[in-house]
Amino acid sequence: MRSTDMPLGRRVSKDVAELLEADRALAETYRDRLAEATEAEHALRAAQGAGASDAGPRPETIAFDEALTRALLAAEAAERVAAGPKIYVPEGADAKARRAAEIAFRQAKARPAVRPWTDEVDRLRTAREAHRLGFRTVPAVAR
């Protein structure tokens, strides 16, 4: 089924269809990206266990942060795909169309098909922020 052939005969604009397809492609990489984040976390914990120096940001710390960010982006794309084409706004749309899309997205988050992705996005965002608060991911500024 092509993205322009939506169920019940609904059609979407070419711009929205392109955005939806891009999100679909990114969402399909979610499991791989989550596995990469898990591997990066294991590498970080192994480096911590080995007692690596704390002189600056460790490559493992930065790699874990980047892997979490990639997994988060894929989960957000999956959430948008599950929410449907109404939440997409083509470039150059007026404020009324952008507002309608925001409202549609908020309403979609309450649907059972979208809720697990919303929870996953919240979980990954919380994990990334906890990681950033617990570890230095950027060098300290010289005083």
Short mmCIF file of all heavy atoms in Angstrom, two decimals, residues 2 13 17 21-23 26 30 35 38 40 47 52 63 65 68-69 75 78-80 83 90 106 113 123 125 135:
data_model
loop_
_atom_site.label_atom_id
_atom_site.label_comp_id
_atom_site.label_asym_id
_atom_site.label_seq_id
_atom_site.Cartn_x
_atom_site.Cartn_y
_atom_site.Cartn_z
N ARG A 2 0.63 2.13 -0.89
CA ARG A 2 1.39 3.38 -0.96
C ARG A 2 0.87 4.35 0.09
O ARG A 2 -0.28 4.27 0.51
CB ARG A 2 1.26 4.00 -2.34
CG ARG A 2 1.96 3.17 -3.39
CD ARG A 2 1.83 3.77 -4.73
NE ARG A 2 1.27 5.10 -4.71
CZ ARG A 2 0.96 5.78 -5.78
NH1 ARG A 2 1.12 5.25 -6.95
NH2 ARG A 2 0.46 6.99 -5.70
N SER A 13 -1.58 14.86 0.79
CA SER A 13 -0.78 15.59 -0.18
C SER A 13 0.58 14.91 -0.35
O SER A 13 1.03 14.13 0.49
CB SER A 13 -0.59 17.03 0.26
OG SER A 13 0.29 17.10 1.35
N ALA A 17 2.86 12.93 2.38
CA ALA A 17 3.21 11.53 2.09
C ALA A 17 4.72 11.33 2.19
O ALA A 17 5.19 10.31 2.70
CB ALA A 17 2.72 11.14 0.70
N GLU A 21 6.51 8.86 4.84
CA GLU A 21 7.41 7.79 4.39
C GLU A 21 8.78 7.89 5.04
O GLU A 21 9.39 6.88 5.40
CB GLU A 21 7.55 7.80 2.87
CG GLU A 21 6.36 7.20 2.16
CD GLU A 21 6.05 5.78 2.59
OE1 GLU A 21 6.98 4.96 2.70
OE2 GLU A 21 4.87 5.50 2.83
N ALA A 22 9.27 9.11 5.20
CA ALA A 22 10.57 9.30 5.87
C ALA A 22 10.48 8.82 7.32
O ALA A 22 11.40 8.15 7.82
CB ALA A 22 10.98 10.76 5.80
N ASP A 23 9.38 9.15 7.99
CA ASP A 23 9.20 8.70 9.37
C ASP A 23 9.04 7.19 9.43
O ASP A 23 9.54 6.54 10.35
CB ASP A 23 8.00 9.39 10.01
CG ASP A 23 8.35 10.73 10.61
OD1 ASP A 23 9.55 11.03 10.74
OD2 ASP A 23 7.42 11.48 10.97
N LEU A 26 12.45 5.66 9.17
CA LEU A 26 13.19 5.85 10.42
C LEU A 26 12.63 4.96 11.53
O LEU A 26 13.38 4.38 12.32
CB LEU A 26 13.15 7.32 10.84
CG LEU A 26 13.93 7.72 12.07
CD1 LEU A 26 15.40 7.35 11.94
CD2 LEU A 26 13.79 9.21 12.32
N TYR A 30 14.02 1.35 14.58
CA TYR A 30 13.94 1.53 16.03
C TYR A 30 14.63 0.39 16.80
O TYR A 30 15.45 0.65 17.68
CB TYR A 30 12.48 1.67 16.48
CG TYR A 30 12.34 1.61 17.98
CD1 TYR A 30 12.78 2.67 18.77
CD2 TYR A 30 11.85 0.48 18.61
CE1 TYR A 30 12.68 2.61 20.14
CE2 TYR A 30 11.75 0.42 19.97
CZ TYR A 30 12.17 1.48 20.75
OH TYR A 30 12.10 1.43 22.11
N ALA A 35 19.02 -1.50 20.19
CA ALA A 35 20.08 -2.48 20.45
C ALA A 35 21.44 -1.80 20.52
O ALA A 35 22.28 -2.13 21.37
CB ALA A 35 20.08 -3.56 19.38
N THR A 38 21.73 -0.16 23.85
CA THR A 38 21.99 -1.15 24.89
C THR A 38 23.46 -1.56 24.88
O THR A 38 24.10 -1.65 25.94
CB THR A 38 21.09 -2.38 24.68
OG1 THR A 38 19.73 -1.94 24.70
CG2 THR A 38 21.30 -3.40 25.77
N ALA A 40 25.95 0.24 23.75
CA ALA A 40 26.73 1.40 24.21
C ALA A 40 26.67 1.52 25.73
O ALA A 40 27.67 1.87 26.38
CB ALA A 40 26.23 2.67 23.54
N ALA A 47 33.46 0.12 31.15
CA ALA A 47 34.53 1.10 31.36
C ALA A 47 34.50 1.63 32.79
O ALA A 47 35.54 1.86 33.40
CB ALA A 47 34.39 2.25 30.37
N ALA A 52 38.20 3.46 34.64
CA ALA A 52 38.81 4.42 33.72
C ALA A 52 38.88 5.79 34.37
O ALA A 52 38.08 6.13 35.23
CB ALA A 52 38.01 4.47 32.42
N ALA A 63 29.28 8.08 23.31
CA ALA A 63 28.67 7.09 22.41
C ALA A 63 27.29 6.67 22.93
O ALA A 63 26.35 6.51 22.14
CB ALA A 63 29.57 5.87 22.28
N ASP A 65 25.28 8.49 24.84
CA ASP A 65 24.38 9.63 24.64
C ASP A 65 23.91 9.70 23.19
O ASP A 65 22.71 9.89 22.93
CB ASP A 65 25.08 10.93 25.03
CG ASP A 65 24.17 12.14 24.89
OD1 ASP A 65 23.21 12.23 25.67
OD2 ASP A 65 24.41 12.96 23.99
N LEU A 68 21.46 6.82 22.49
CA LEU A 68 20.14 7.10 23.06
C LEU A 68 19.38 8.13 22.23
O LEU A 68 18.18 8.00 22.02
CB LEU A 68 20.29 7.63 24.50
CG LEU A 68 20.34 6.62 25.62
CD1 LEU A 68 20.60 7.31 26.95
CD2 LEU A 68 19.06 5.82 25.69
N THR A 69 20.09 9.12 21.74
CA THR A 69 19.46 10.15 20.91
C THR A 69 18.93 9.54 19.62
O THR A 69 17.81 9.84 19.19
CB THR A 69 20.44 11.29 20.62
OG1 THR A 69 20.86 11.87 21.87
CG2 THR A 69 19.81 12.37 19.75
N ALA A 75 12.01 6.37 17.87
CA ALA A 75 10.76 6.18 18.62
C ALA A 75 9.80 7.33 18.36
O ALA A 75 8.58 7.12 18.23
CB ALA A 75 11.06 6.07 20.12
N ALA A 78 8.23 6.68 15.04
CA ALA A 78 7.23 5.63 15.14
C ALA A 78 5.95 6.17 15.77
O ALA A 78 4.84 5.79 15.37
CB ALA A 78 7.77 4.46 15.96
N GLU A 79 6.09 7.04 16.73
CA GLU A 79 4.92 7.66 17.37
C GLU A 79 4.14 8.49 16.35
O GLU A 79 2.91 8.42 16.27
CB GLU A 79 5.37 8.54 18.54
CG GLU A 79 4.23 9.24 19.26
CD GLU A 79 4.73 10.18 20.34
OE1 GLU A 79 5.78 10.81 20.16
OE2 GLU A 79 4.04 10.29 21.37
N ARG A 80 4.86 9.26 15.53
CA ARG A 80 4.18 10.08 14.51
C ARG A 80 3.50 9.21 13.47
O ARG A 80 2.38 9.51 13.04
CB ARG A 80 5.18 11.02 13.84
CG ARG A 80 5.64 12.16 14.74
CD ARG A 80 6.44 13.19 13.98
NE ARG A 80 7.66 12.66 13.38
CZ ARG A 80 8.84 12.63 13.97
NH1 ARG A 80 8.99 13.09 15.20
NH2 ARG A 80 9.90 12.13 13.34
N ALA A 83 0.38 7.89 14.87
CA ALA A 83 -0.62 8.95 15.03
C ALA A 83 -1.36 9.23 13.73
O ALA A 83 -2.50 9.68 13.75
CB ALA A 83 0.03 10.22 15.56
N PRO A 90 2.61 20.33 5.89
CA PRO A 90 3.58 20.63 4.82
C PRO A 90 4.28 21.95 5.09
O PRO A 90 3.75 22.82 5.77
CB PRO A 90 2.73 20.70 3.55
CG PRO A 90 1.32 20.57 3.97
CD PRO A 90 1.25 20.30 5.43
N ARG A 106 -2.03 15.79 19.71
CA ARG A 106 -2.40 15.61 21.12
C ARG A 106 -3.54 14.62 21.26
O ARG A 106 -3.54 13.79 22.18
CB ARG A 106 -2.78 16.95 21.75
CG ARG A 106 -1.74 17.38 22.73
CD ARG A 106 -2.15 18.57 23.54
NE ARG A 106 -1.43 19.70 23.00
CZ ARG A 106 -1.98 20.83 22.64
NH1 ARG A 106 -3.26 21.02 22.76
NH2 ARG A 106 -1.25 21.80 22.18
N ALA A 113 -3.26 2.76 20.01
CA ALA A 113 -2.18 2.40 19.10
C ALA A 113 -0.97 3.32 19.25
O ALA A 113 0.15 2.93 18.93
CB ALA A 113 -2.67 2.43 17.66
N ARG A 123 10.11 7.39 28.10
CA ARG A 123 11.12 6.58 28.80
C ARG A 123 12.52 6.86 28.27
O ARG A 123 13.46 7.07 29.04
CB ARG A 123 10.79 5.10 28.62
CG ARG A 123 11.72 4.16 29.38
CD ARG A 123 11.40 2.71 29.08
NE ARG A 123 11.86 2.31 27.75
CZ ARG A 123 13.10 1.93 27.47
NH1 ARG A 123 14.03 1.93 28.40
NH2 ARG A 123 13.43 1.56 26.24
N ARG A 125 13.54 9.55 26.58
CA ARG A 125 13.92 10.94 26.87
C ARG A 125 14.38 11.07 28.32
O ARG A 125 15.38 11.73 28.61
CB ARG A 125 12.74 11.87 26.58
CG ARG A 125 13.14 13.33 26.60
CD ARG A 125 12.02 14.22 26.12
NE ARG A 125 11.89 14.08 24.68
CZ ARG A 125 10.73 13.90 24.05
NH1 ARG A 125 9.61 13.82 24.72
NH2 ARG A 125 10.69 13.82 22.74
N PHE A 135 26.45 12.15 33.89
CA PHE A 135 27.76 12.05 33.26
C PHE A 135 28.03 13.32 32.47
O PHE A 135 27.11 13.92 31.92
CB PHE A 135 27.84 10.86 32.29
CG PHE A 135 27.68 9.53 32.97
CD1 PHE A 135 26.44 8.94 33.07
CD2 PHE A 135 28.78 8.90 33.50
CE1 PHE A 135 26.31 7.72 33.69
CE2 PHE A 135 28.65 7.69 34.11
CZ PHE A 135 27.41 7.08 34.22
#
